[in-house]
Amino acid sequence: MAHSRFAAPENTHQPALLPGVGRREVWSWAMYDFANSGYTTVVLSTVFSAYFVGVVAAGQAWGTLAWTATLSLSYLIIMVLMPGLGARADARTGHRRLLFTSTLGCVLATALLATVGPGDIAWGLVCLLLSNAFYCVGESTVASFLPGLARPEAMGRVSGWGWSFGYGGGMLALGLALWVAGSAESVGLLAADYVPWIMLLTAGLFAVAALPSFLWLREPRQTTRAAVPALLVQLRRAWNETRRDFPDFRRLLMCIACYQAGITVVITLSAVYATQVMGFDMRQTMLLVFLVNIMAAVGAFGFGYLQDHIGHKRALALTLIGWLIMVALAVAAQSVLVFWLAAGLAGLCMGTSQSAGRAMVGVLAPAHRPAEFFALWTFAVQLAAVVGPLTYGLLVWFTQGNHRLALLVTGGFFLAGLWLLARLNFVRGQQARDAATSG
C-alpha cells in the first residue's frame, strides 16, 4: 500500500480542547465510557452470558442460539432507529436528554436481570433485549459530544482518553463481580444465588459512574433546526445523502463495518475459542479477559497521541495490520505462550482501532449534525455485530467445529477494512464536512 495514499501527519502542538471546554467537562464525558463498559464486560461478555446459557437455559444446545439471536435483534432495532433518533437530538438540542433516557433505561433493565432465575428464559431475553438496546443508544449519543469537545487535530487523543477510561471501568466491574462470585462460592452458594447481586452491582456502578456526565457535560453548541422526517425515512435519506455529498464518510462507514465485524468476533467468542481450541479453564479465561482489557486501555490511551501525530489513516492502517498479525498468531498457536501473545496483541489493537474509528467519524462529521452522523457510525458498528459472530458461528457449524478455520476467515474482515481505508480520501472528506457546515 503506497505511503502517499494516507493522510499527512497532524499538528499536535495545539491545545487538544476547543475554546471554552474545560478538563472537568472532558473528564465527565470520558466517565460515561467508564460507566457503560461494566455492562458490556459483565453482562454481555462474561457473567450473565454464561449464567443464561448454563443456568437459565439449563445448558440446552439452543441456549447459545437464543442469546445471540436476541442480541442480533437488539442490534437490528438500533440500526433502524438510531439515525432518526440522532437527527432528532440534533434538531431539538436533545443530546443530553437522549443520553439520560438511554442511561436510565439501561440501568433499570440491567437491574431487572437480577430477577431472572432458572427457567425464566423469555423474561431474561426481554430484559437482555431492552438493556442492550438502551446501551447502544447511549454509546452512540455520548460519542456525538466528541466534536464539541476536541479540536479536529486532537480528536484521536481525546477519543483515546475516553476509550481507555472505558476499559478501566470494565475491569473494575469484572473485578467486583469476581469478588462477589468468589465470596459466594466459598460459602457454598450457587450461581442462581449470587448472579442477581452482581447484576444489581453492575447497574448501580453504571448509574453512579454516569453521574458526572449529567452534571458537567454540556449540550453541543452547534445544532440544526431542520425538520426531521420519520425514523425509517431518515435512515434511507441519511444513507443516500452520504453517497451524494459525503462519499468518503460513507467509505469510512463501510471500512468500520468490516473491521468491527472482526473485532466483535474477538469480543464475543474469544472465551469460546480459548476453551474449545486451547483448553483454557475458567480461571485462565478470566485472566485472559483482564489481559485483553489492560492492553486495550493502554492502546486506546497511548495510540491516540500517535494517531494525531502521524495522521488518522496511517494510524488506523497500522492497527488493522496488527489485527491481521494477531489472527495469524492465534490460528497457528499450538502453545499457550503464543496464544497469550496473540491475546495481548488483540487487546492492544482493540483499543486503538475502536478509538481511532470514533475519532475519524468525529473529524468528518459536520459540526451542526454530530448525533445524526454518529448514529450512522452506530449503524455500521451494529451491522458488524450481527454479521461478524453470525459468520463465525456458521463456519464453525459447517466445518463441524473448526474454530481455527473460522478465525482465519475472520481475518478477511480486517483485510477488507484495510482495502477500503486505502480508497478513502480524508482531505476530501474534511472538505465535504466544511462545505456542509458553512452551508
Side-chain angles (χ1 to χ4, degrees):
M1 200 176 305
H3 186 74
S4 60
R5 298 184 71 180
F6 292 93
E10 306 283 352
N11 182 3
T12 59
H13 298 294
Q14 296 295 326
L17 307 181
L18 290 171
V21 177
R23 293 183 178 179
R24 186 175 68 176
E25 186 175 3
V26 175
W27 172 77
S28 67
W29 172 78
M31 277 301 296
Y32 195 87
D33 279 348
F34 183 96
N36 70 3
S37 291
Y39 171 81
T40 58
T41 304
V42 174
V43 176
L44 300 185
S45 298
T46 53
V47 178
F48 195 80
S49 58
Y51 172 75
F52 179 85
V53 174
V55 178
V56 179
Q60 295 296 318
W62 47 261
T64 300
L65 178 60
W67 175 266
T68 55
T70 301
L71 287 178
S72 295
L73 178 59
S74 69
Y75 294 136
L76 289 171
I77 291 172
I78 296 304
M79 285 167 58
V80 172
L81 297 183
M82 197 61 223
L85 293 175
R88 279 171 162 72
D90 288 335
R92 300 170 183 174
T93 59
H95 301 80
R96 282 172 50 85
R97 183 167 58 251
L98 183 59
L99 185 64
F100 177 80
T101 303
S102 60
T103 302
L104 181 62
C106 187
V107 167
L108 292 177
T110 302
L112 286 176
L113 290 174
T115 66
V116 178
D120 295 333
I121 296 165
W123 175 238
L125 293 177
V126 168
C127 294
L128 174 67
L129 177 71
L130 292 174
S131 64
N132 194 54
F134 280 120
Y135 161 79
C136 292
V137 174
E139 181 185 38
S140 176
T141 305
V142 78
S144 70
F145 285 82
L146 179 58
L149 299 173
R151 295 177 182 272
E153 63 272 14
M155 206 76 73
R157 78 190 85 157
V158 176
S159 177
W161 296 345
W163 222 283
S164 60
F165 258 58
Y167 288 114
M171 285 186 286
L172 174 61
L174 181 59
L176 292 173
L178 290 175
W179 173 73
V180 171
S183 300
E185 290 176 349
S186 67
V187 296
L189 296 179
L190 301 177
D193 299 314
Y194 64 77
V195 167
W197 290 105
I198 293 177
M199 293 301 101
L200 292 175
L201 180 63
T202 303
L205 180 62
F206 193 163
V208 172
L211 283 176
S213 302
F214 303 113
L215 291 174
W216 296 301
L217 186 59
R218 294 175 293 178
E219 186 74 22
R221 287 171 287 279
Q222 290 182 288
T223 56
T224 177
R225 290 289 181 176
V228 179
L231 292 177
L232 294 179
V233 175
Q234 175 60 27
L235 173 60
R236 185 176 65 252
R237 178 177 297 181
W239 185 243
N240 290 334
E241 184 183 10
T242 60
R243 179 176 56 191
R244 183 184 66 248
D245 300 329
F246 304 95
D248 291 290
F249 184 84
R250 181 189 179 98
R251 191 164 288 120
L252 174 62
L253 292 179
M254 296 168 65
C255 170
I256 290 173
C258 285
Y259 76 72
Q260 278 288 156
I263 292 175
T264 306
V265 169
V266 175
I267 291 174
T268 59
L269 296 166
S270 58
V272 174
Y273 191 92
T275 55
Q276 296 298 315
V277 178
M278 302 305 300
F280 275 33
D281 57 25
M282 182 57 68
R283 178 177 173 275
Q284 288 174 307
T285 302
M286 290 296 180
L287 289 174
L288 182 74
V289 173
F290 270 107
L291 172 67
V292 170
N293 276 272
I294 291 171
M295 295 302 294
V298 171
F301 183 84
F303 199 81
Y305 290 88
L306 179 63
Q307 180 178 352
D308 290 336
H309 179 67
I310 69 174
H312 296 286
K313 283 186 61 176
R314 290 185 186 132
L316 184 55
L318 185 61
T319 67
L320 296 182
I321 292 172
W323 275 116
L324 291 171
I325 296 173
M326 184 284 299
V327 170
L329 284 174
V331 170
Q334 298 296 328
S335 68
V336 173
L337 178 61
V338 175
F339 186 73
W340 277 101
L341 179 62
L345 182 58
L348 189 65
C349 293
M350 186 183 303
T352 57
S353 52
Q354 290 180 308
S355 176
R358 180 170 70 174
M360 292 175 73
V361 171
V363 172
L364 296 186
H368 61 297
R369 300 167 65 185
E372 183 180 356
F373 274 68
F374 269 101
L376 293 173
W377 168 69
T378 299
F379 180 95
V381 172
Q382 305 314 322
L383 176 63
V386 174
V387 173
L390 180 61
T391 301
Y392 185 97
L394 288 173
L395 284 168
V396 171
W397 182 46
F398 286 144
T399 60
Q400 299 182 342
N402 193 334
H403 286 268
R404 290 186 188 272
L405 178 60
L407 184 59
L408 181 63
V409 174
T410 297
F413 288 121
F414 299 115
L415 193 61
L418 195 60
W419 178 75
L420 286 166
L421 181 65
R423 301 179 64 219
L424 189 154
N425 188 323
F426 203 72
V427 174
R428 186 176 59 195
Q430 291 174 299
Q431 292 171 346
R433 172 207 65 193
D434 294 339
T437 301
S438 61

